[in-house]
């Protein structure tokens, strides 16, 4: 049970909510708009990044009442390992700086990236159902979030790559000193190679896990990492230098890890590639997303506490797939948080789950 005593203060529609005595399965039930997904979003913010909705910080603070008008919120949780509290982690904003996210770990200031050193958080939400038809950028973010749950240093490398590419674009536009360009491109090549190698390892590891899963009742996807440029740092550095005229004209770098792609096809019964995921039915796409999420959950739970957030995942599954989903989740090492509008679809796990009813931002333990 990685997380216990989770607290939300002035977050979304939650004035002051607490979830204690958590379990392996944790279930939030209530009507649409009650605040169930807000709890999952709060938990997702106990990891690096912008959370499962990618919302701006100023949109997260509760605004319904005058006492919450300062624009600040706070989220905290205890990390539990082997029945003992191993750390207390939290993230918050301050009224004077509502656009700056702050983090504390065991009472000391820390960076957001440091949260990934303590536990891994991943999620599947209805907003992700269109991942295979979305932009390549959405799939890169999907890869990066999964990679971060396995290799905590990945977020830093991605940030350093983005910073180096922005500076390179500025120097190209201003026709800056070639020596500065050389230095910036060396940084971009170093960090970009690390990013690309991590993504390639992630996809290979996911492929191994997916091939070991039974093909039914969830569709089995075949994943391919397609690099947007050279992966070797020396080759990437040479490509950046060669492409300066082209990239100056385009106003951006046209090759490199920031152009990577994740290709997904649905496997046929003999594990040969079949139909591209983007062309599959909505149900098949959902089943492949669940399969990827389950495979990633196995990897993320290896050697580190992990949390898996599943928003409205059971509502659109038939009884056979629901039963299989709960069976696989029960055997995994991750703590599970799920939402639903009613308890009935979760009948297989209610006896072992911690359950809260959510109503207008208030929680009632059932």
């Amino acid at each position: 049970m990685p997380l216990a005593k989770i607290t939300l203060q002035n977050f979304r529609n939650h004035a002051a909510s607490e979830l204690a005595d958590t379990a392996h399965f944790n279930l939030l039930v209530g009507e649409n708009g009650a605040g169930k997904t807000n709890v999952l979003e709060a938990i997702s913010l106990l990891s690096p990044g912008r959370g499962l909705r990618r919302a701006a910080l100023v949109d997260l603070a509760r605004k319904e009442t005058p006492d919450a008008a300062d624009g600040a919120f706070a989220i905290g949780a205890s990390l539990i390992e082997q029945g003992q509290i191993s750390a207390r982690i939290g993230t918050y904003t301050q009224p004077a700086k509502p656009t700056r996210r702050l983090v504390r770990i065991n009472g000391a200031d820390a960076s957001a990236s440091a949260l990934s050193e303590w536990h891994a958080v991943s999620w599947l939400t209805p907003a992700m159902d269109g991942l295979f038809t979305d932009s390549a950028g959405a799939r890169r973010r999907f890869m990066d979030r999964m990679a971060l749950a396995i290799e905590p240093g990945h977020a830093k490398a991605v940030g350093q790559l983005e910073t180096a590419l922005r500076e390179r674009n500025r120097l190209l536009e201003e026709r800056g000193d070639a020596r500065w360009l050389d230095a910036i491109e060396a940084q971009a090549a170093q960090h970009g190679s690390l990013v690309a190698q991590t993504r390639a390892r992630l996809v290979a590891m996911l492929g191994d896990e997916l091939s070991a899963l039974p093909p039914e009742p969830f569709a089995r996807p075949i994943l391919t990492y397609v690099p947007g440029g050279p992966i070797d740092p020396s080759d990437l550095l040479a490509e950046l230098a060669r492409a300066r005229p082209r990239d100056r004209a385009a106003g951006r770098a046209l090759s490199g890890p920031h152009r990577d792609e994740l290709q997904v096809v649905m496997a046929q019964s003999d594990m040969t590639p079949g139909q591209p995921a983007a062309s599959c039915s909505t149900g098949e796409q959902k089943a492949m997303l669940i399969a990827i999420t389950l495979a990633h959950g196995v990897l993320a739970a290896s050697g580190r506490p992990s949390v898996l957030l599943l928003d409205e995942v059971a509502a659109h599954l038939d009884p056979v797939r629901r039963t299989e989903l709960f069976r696989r989740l029960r055997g995994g090492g991750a703590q599970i948080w799920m939402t639903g509008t009613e308890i009935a679809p979760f009948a297989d796990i209610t006896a072992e789950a911690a359950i809260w009813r959510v109503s207008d931002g208030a929680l009632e333990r059932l």
Side-chain angles (χ1 to χ4, degrees):
M1 293 187 294
L3 295 181
K5 198 177 179 180
I6 303 166
T7 57
L8 286 66
Q9 294 182 329
N10 286 337
F11 182 81
R12 295 288 192 183
N13 68 335
H14 291 265
S17 294
E18 179 178 306
L19 300 98
D21 298 323
T22 59
H24 177 67
F25 283 111
N26 300 274
L27 177 60
L28 303 162
V29 295
E31 297 178 354
N32 293 328
K36 305 184 299 296
T37 304
N38 293 342
V39 175
L40 299 192
E41 182 181 25
I43 295 173
S44 74
L45 287 166
L46 294 172
S47 66
R50 295 173 57 183
L52 58 80
R53 285 188 174 120
R54 293 181 56 79
L57 289 175
V58 294
D59 295 329
L60 300 179
R62 184 169 176 263
K63 301 178 178 64
E64 281 86 348
T65 59
D67 62 343
D70 58 13
F73 68 86
I75 305 162
S78 295
L79 279 171
I80 306 295
E81 293 186 74
Q82 297 179 345
Q84 301 293 322
I85 296 177
S86 60
R88 181 70 184 174
I89 60 176
T91 187
Y92 63 101
T93 58
Q94 294 177 327
K97 298 179 179 179
T99 61
R100 182 186 179 192
R101 180 184 174 193
L102 301 172
V103 170
R104 291 182 70 83
I105 299 176
N106 290 331
D109 294 337
S111 65
S113 61
L115 291 167
S116 64
E117 299 172 8
W118 291 89
H119 70 154
V121 182
S122 54
W123 55 81
L124 181 62
T125 71
M128 295 166 58
D129 288 353
L131 178 71
F132 303 130
T133 57
D134 206 336
S135 66
R139 288 183 288 278
R140 282 192 294 273
R141 289 192 296 271
F142 182 61
M143 281 194 289
D144 289 339
R145 191 175 70 250
M146 289 192 292
L148 177 61
I150 300 168
E151 300 191 28
H154 183 66
K156 183 177 180 180
V158 171
Q160 290 171 325
L161 170 63
E162 292 174 346
T163 298
L165 289 176
R166 282 195 300 269
E167 180 63 13
R168 178 178 181 266
N169 291 341
R170 185 187 68 80
L171 289 171
L172 286 174
E173 181 181 2
E174 297 176 357
R175 298 185 179 273
D177 192 314
R179 291 172 298 179
W180 280 108
L181 265 174
D182 290 342
I184 289 297
E185 287 175 350
Q187 293 179 24
Q190 175 189 356
H191 302 313
S193 178
L194 290 175
V195 168
Q197 291 178 48
T198 299
R199 289 172 178 167
R201 282 195 300 272
L202 166 74
V203 174
M205 294 165 66
L206 284 171
D208 290 342
E209 288 295 332
L210 288 165
S211 65
L213 291 175
E216 296 294 341
F218 297 109
R220 182 182 289 173
I222 296 176
L223 311 183
T224 303
Y225 167 66
V226 183
I231 294 179
D232 178 82
S234 298
D235 294 340
L236 181 54
L237 179 60
E239 169 67 13
L240 290 170
R242 183 194 64 79
R244 286 178 187 177
R246 179 198 66 187
D247 292 349
R248 179 182 291 114
R252 64 188 187 281
L254 296 179
S255 64
H258 59 293
R259 308 280 290 184
D260 287 353
E261 173 64 286
L262 174 66
Q263 288 185 352
V264 183
V265 299
M266 187 171 66
Q268 296 177 344
S269 57
D270 58 355
M271 279 302 292
T272 58
Q275 192 172 8
S279 302
C280 293
S281 70
T282 301
E284 289 169 335
Q285 291 186 33
K286 183 74 171 184
M288 283 188 281
L289 267 176
I290 292 175
I292 294 172
T293 301
L294 292 172
H296 179 254
V298 173
L299 298 176
S302 300
R304 204 159 46 117
S306 65
V307 178
L308 179 57
L309 312 175
L310 301 173
D311 193 16
E312 299 289 351
V313 70
H316 305 292
L317 296 178
D318 59 54
V320 171
R321 284 180 172 169
R322 279 202 302 268
T323 298
E324 178 63 14
L325 172 65
F326 297 146
R327 186 190 70 79
R328 294 188 190 182
L329 293 174
R330 185 179 290 110
Q335 183 185 51
I336 310 301
W337 290 81
M338 294 182 286
T339 65
T341 56
E342 54 186 10
I343 296 179
F346 302 93
D348 288 354
I349 61 166
T350 51
E352 57 195 290
I355 306 174
W356 291 266
R357 183 171 297 283
V358 187
S359 178
D360 195 23
L363 301 177
E364 177 191 3
R365 182 66 180 259
L366 300 181

